[in-house]
Every structure is written in C-alpha cells, then in structure tokens.
C-alpha cells in the first residue's frame, strides 16, 4: 500500500512539473508566433507595440462606368501616414488596442475655364498640404468562441475613433492654398466580427466591418462658415488566405469589398464643386509577406484596387514592424 501511495505521489509531481514546463514553452512559442500561429487575441498580460507606414499617390480613379480614368482636369494627390499601435491582453480572450496616426497629405489640382465669346480663359490652381496627428482610435476585442490549434475562433470588436486631429483648414494663404486638416472632426463607431481557422501551415479568415459617423460642425474650405458634416456609412466584407513558406516567412492574401455611402452636408460649401461626394465602392486585393524574427515581426504589402466606382484606382503601399513583450 505504501509503495502504491508513493508511486501515486511521484506521478503527480512529475505530471505537474511537466505541465509547468509545457506552459513556459507555450508562452515562449506564443511570443514568437507568426501571423499563422498567433492567437486571435493576445494572452493575458502580453503587450505588443507596432508601427505602420503607408504611402499612396492619388492620380487615377474608377469612373461611374468602372474604368480607370485620370482625375478631372489636371489633379493629383499624395498621402502617407505613420501609425503607432499599442496592444494589451487584458485576459486570454479580451484585448485592448490604441491606435495613434500621424498623417501627411498634399493635393494639387488645376483646371481651365474657357470663355469663347470673349476669347479668354482662366486658370485656377488648388494646392493643399497638411501634417499632423490624426484621429486616435481605441478598440476592445473579445473572443466569443475561443480558438485553438484545432478549433476556429469568432471574435467581436468595437472601435471608437475620437476627433483628436485638426478638423478645419489652417495656415490659409488664399482660397485655394492652405493646410489640409488631419482629422475628420467627428466621432466614429466601428463594430467588427472576424471568423478565423488555423490548419497548419495555413490559415484563413472572414470578417465584416461597419463604420458609422455621428457628424460634426466644421469648415470644409477656407473663408466658409462652419456647416454640419457627416461621413457616409461604410461596409467592408473581406477574407484572407495565408500560408507559411517556412517557420518564419508567411505569405498573406487579402480580398475585400469596400462600400461607402456619400457624405452629407447641411449648409453651403464649394467643396462639392471640386470633389462631389458620391456613393462609391471597390474590390481590393492585398498581397503581402511577413517575416518573423523571434519576437519581432516585419510585414509589407500593397493594396491593389481591382475595380470600383468613384474610388481611387492607384495602389497603396504599406510596411509594418511589431514587437511583442
């Protein structure tokens, strides 16, 4: 009897020792996991910091007939941003995220009004640029169905965008030369649902995203009175398919449908004469590649609009760096 009891005690000690060692290894593996193997939300107490740089040139757009056309007149724009992300695992199923953008933007546009009767024409040039902190976003994400190596996950999140960026034109030289605002001026709410399944070395996801703006009072152009503005509602449906080339290189493929309703204005503004707001949509393919160097992740990709209506038709480039603690 004593021998049986002693064997039972040693078996329990060995079991718990192995379990603790396995947990320690699991923590190490999670902190070095790739975009394929990482959990849907950060584990409790984990902290991740990341930065993303995006760059795009706005030269062409999809017309009403879905053709890639150059902007009306002689217009082009350039936009880029440096974004800081902070993630924290409150529990194994609840994640908090803070997103702080810094934006750079410039728009150049010119057109000619011709008057054949008097034999003259007038050239109008419009030039804006602007740098500054954009609208800060806060997200809470919860795993409704907690995923594992064999079980899919279902995650819900709610993002609130706060109007921390400048909402009105500044540094005004004249009606067509000024600094473009870096913020929207309104509060936005964005609920999102994501379904994800890992089948090593592959993973795939599907998600839906809806953005609703509450509107604000702001100046649309210099020398105008503030008017009520509300951004159009936005619906995004998307999916991705990712796979590992080896233990530290992953290939990512995203395909989304993005539909945005026209913005609404209550008041008089000349901006509708230059850039009228229309219902718009696009289908966008984003290939990318991700490198995992232990706790450091480097990812890059390009968003390519395939077709659309009243949507920028030029690609957008991005590069992202993340580190997990």
């Amino acid at each position: 009897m004593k021998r049986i009891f002693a064997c039972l005690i040693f078996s329990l000690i060995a079991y718990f020792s192995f379990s603790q060692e396995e947990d320690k290894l699991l923590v190490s593996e999670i902190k070095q996991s790739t975009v394929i193997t990482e959990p849907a939300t950060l584990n409790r107490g984990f902290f991740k910091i990341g930065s993303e740089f995006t760059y795009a040139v706005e030269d062409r757009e999809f017309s009403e007939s879905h053709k890639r056309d150059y902007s009306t007149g002689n217009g082009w724009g350039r936009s880029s941003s440096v974004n800081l992300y902070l993630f924290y695992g409150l529990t194994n199923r609840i994640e908090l995220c803070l997103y702080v953008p810094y934006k750079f933007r410039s728009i150049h546009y010119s057109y000619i009004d011709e008057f054949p009767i008097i034999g003259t024409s007038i050239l109008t040039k419009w030039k804006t640029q602007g740098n500054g902190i954009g609208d800060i976003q806060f997200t809470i994400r919860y795993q409704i169905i907690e995923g594992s190596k064999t079980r899919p996950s279902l995650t819900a999140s709610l993002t609130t965008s706060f109007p921390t960026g400048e909402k009105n034109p500044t540094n005004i030289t004249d009606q067509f030369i000024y600094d473009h605002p870096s913020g929207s001026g309104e509060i936005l709410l964005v609920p999102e649902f994501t379904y994800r399944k890992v089948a090593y070395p592959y993973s795939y996801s599907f998600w839906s995203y809806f953005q609703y703006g509450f509107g604000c009072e702001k100046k649309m152009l210099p020398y105008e009175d503030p008017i009520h503005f509300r951004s159009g509602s936005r619906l995004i449906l998307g999916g991705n398919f990712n796979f590992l080339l080896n233990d530290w290189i992953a290939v990512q493929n995203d395909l989304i449908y993005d539909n945005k309703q026209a913005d609404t204005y209550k008041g008089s503004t000349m901006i509708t004469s230059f850039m009228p707001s229309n219902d718009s949509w696009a289908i966008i393919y984003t290939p990318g590649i991700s490198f995992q160097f232990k706790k450091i992740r480097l990812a890059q990709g390009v968003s390519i609009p395939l077709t659309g209506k009243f949507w920028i038709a030029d690609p957008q480039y991005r590069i992202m760096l993340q580190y997990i603690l």
Side-chain angles (χ1 to χ4, degrees):
M1 186 70 181
K2 290 183 179 179
R3 291 181 179 179
I4 295 175
F5 182 74
C7 290
L8 181 60
I9 293 296
F10 282 121
S11 298
L12 289 173
I13 292 174
Y15 172 78
F16 285 113
S17 298
F18 177 77
S19 297
Q20 290 175 0
E21 180 180 0
E22 188 178 36
D23 287 342
K24 290 180 181 178
L25 290 174
L26 182 60
V27 169
S28 175
E29 289 173 355
I30 291 174
K31 287 189 176 183
Q32 300 180 38
S33 59
T34 66
V35 293
I36 306 294
T37 58
E38 67 181 359
T41 57
L42 282 177
N43 281 26
R44 182 172 62 87
F46 283 19
F47 181 78
K48 181 165 64 177
I49 183 172
S51 180
E52 182 181 36
F53 173 77
T54 64
Y55 177 83
V57 173
E58 302 170 5
D59 189 30
R60 294 179 299 170
E61 67 177 9
F62 290 111
S63 66
E64 189 172 8
S65 58
H66 318 309
K67 295 181 179 179
R68 294 178 187 265
D69 293 332
Y70 286 96
S71 300
T72 304
N74 182 22
W76 66 278
R78 180 177 62 243
S79 63
S80 60
S81 65
V82 178
N83 309 313
L84 176 67
Y85 297 90
L86 301 173
F87 301 86
Y88 178 72
L90 190 63
T91 70
N92 285 356
R93 299 175 70 171
I94 300 177
E95 178 183 277
L96 307 178
C97 175
L98 184 68
Y99 165 80
V100 183
Y102 191 91
K103 296 188 175 183
F104 309 84
R105 191 178 187 191
S106 63
I107 299 175
H108 302 263
Y109 184 83
S110 64
Y111 65 95
I112 298 176
D113 283 330
E114 297 185 353
F115 303 93
I117 296 177
I118 59 176
T120 187
S121 62
I122 299 176
L123 174 64
T124 301
K125 293 183 178 181
W126 186 26
K127 178 181 178 182
T128 68
Q129 59 182 11
N131 307 330
I133 294 289
D135 294 338
I136 294 176
Q137 299 177 8
F138 176 76
T139 300
I140 181 168
R141 186 173 290 114
Y142 173 69
Q143 284 194 68
I144 300 173
I145 300 176
E146 189 173 12
S148 66
K149 292 181 179 179
T150 58
R151 187 173 60 236
S153 65
L154 178 63
T155 306
S157 68
L158 180 65
T159 299
T160 304
S161 179
F162 300 96
T164 52
E166 176 60 55
K167 67 177 181 178
N168 294 318
T170 56
N171 298 327
I172 301 168
T173 300
D174 64 31
Q175 185 177 0
F176 299 105
I177 302 177
Y178 57 90
D179 283 357
H180 194 82
S182 58
S184 68
E186 65 177 336
I187 295 176
L188 300 172
L189 281 184
V190 184
E192 181 177 359
F193 292 90
T194 303
Y195 173 88
R196 179 172 180 260
K197 179 72 171 69
V198 177
Y200 189 86
Y202 310 102
S203 74
Y204 57 88
S205 303
F206 302 97
W207 68 88
S208 61
Y209 163 124
F210 182 77
Q211 176 181 290
Y212 180 83
F214 287 87
C216 65
E217 299 286 328
K218 69 176 183 177
K219 293 182 178 181
M220 303 305 300
L221 286 175
Y223 310 123
E224 290 186 345
D225 293 329
I227 65 170
H228 183 79
F229 163 85
R230 188 172 76 84
S231 60
S233 299
R234 187 174 184 181
L235 172 68
I236 295 180
L237 303 174
N240 66 25
F241 174 72
N242 308 325
F243 60 91
L244 287 168
L245 293 178
N246 54 34
D247 290 340
W248 58 283
I249 300 178
V251 175
Q252 299 173 264
N253 295 275
D254 290 26
L255 184 67
I256 69 168
Y257 168 74
D258 196 336
N259 185 299
K260 184 179 182 303
Q261 300 299 302
D263 301 331
T264 56
Y265 308 92
K266 291 184 180 179
S268 178
T269 175
M270 285 293 294
I271 198 168
T272 53
S273 300
F274 301 104
M275 296 184 296
S277 182
N278 300 289
D279 293 345
S280 57
W281 62 269
I283 296 176
I284 303 170
Y285 170 57
T286 304
I289 189 167
S290 173
F291 302 91
Q292 190 74 36
F293 307 102
K294 294 188 176 180
K295 298 181 182 180
I296 298 175
R297 179 178 302 163
L298 175 65
Q300 53 186 325
V302 55
S303 296
I304 305 170
L306 302 179
T307 185
K309 176 182 176 182
F310 298 127
W311 201 277
I312 298 299
D314 300 290
Q316 181 184 74
Y317 304 91
R318 67 177 181 87
I319 183 168
M320 180 184 66
L321 185 67
Q322 291 183 343
Y323 180 77
I324 188 168
L325 302 174

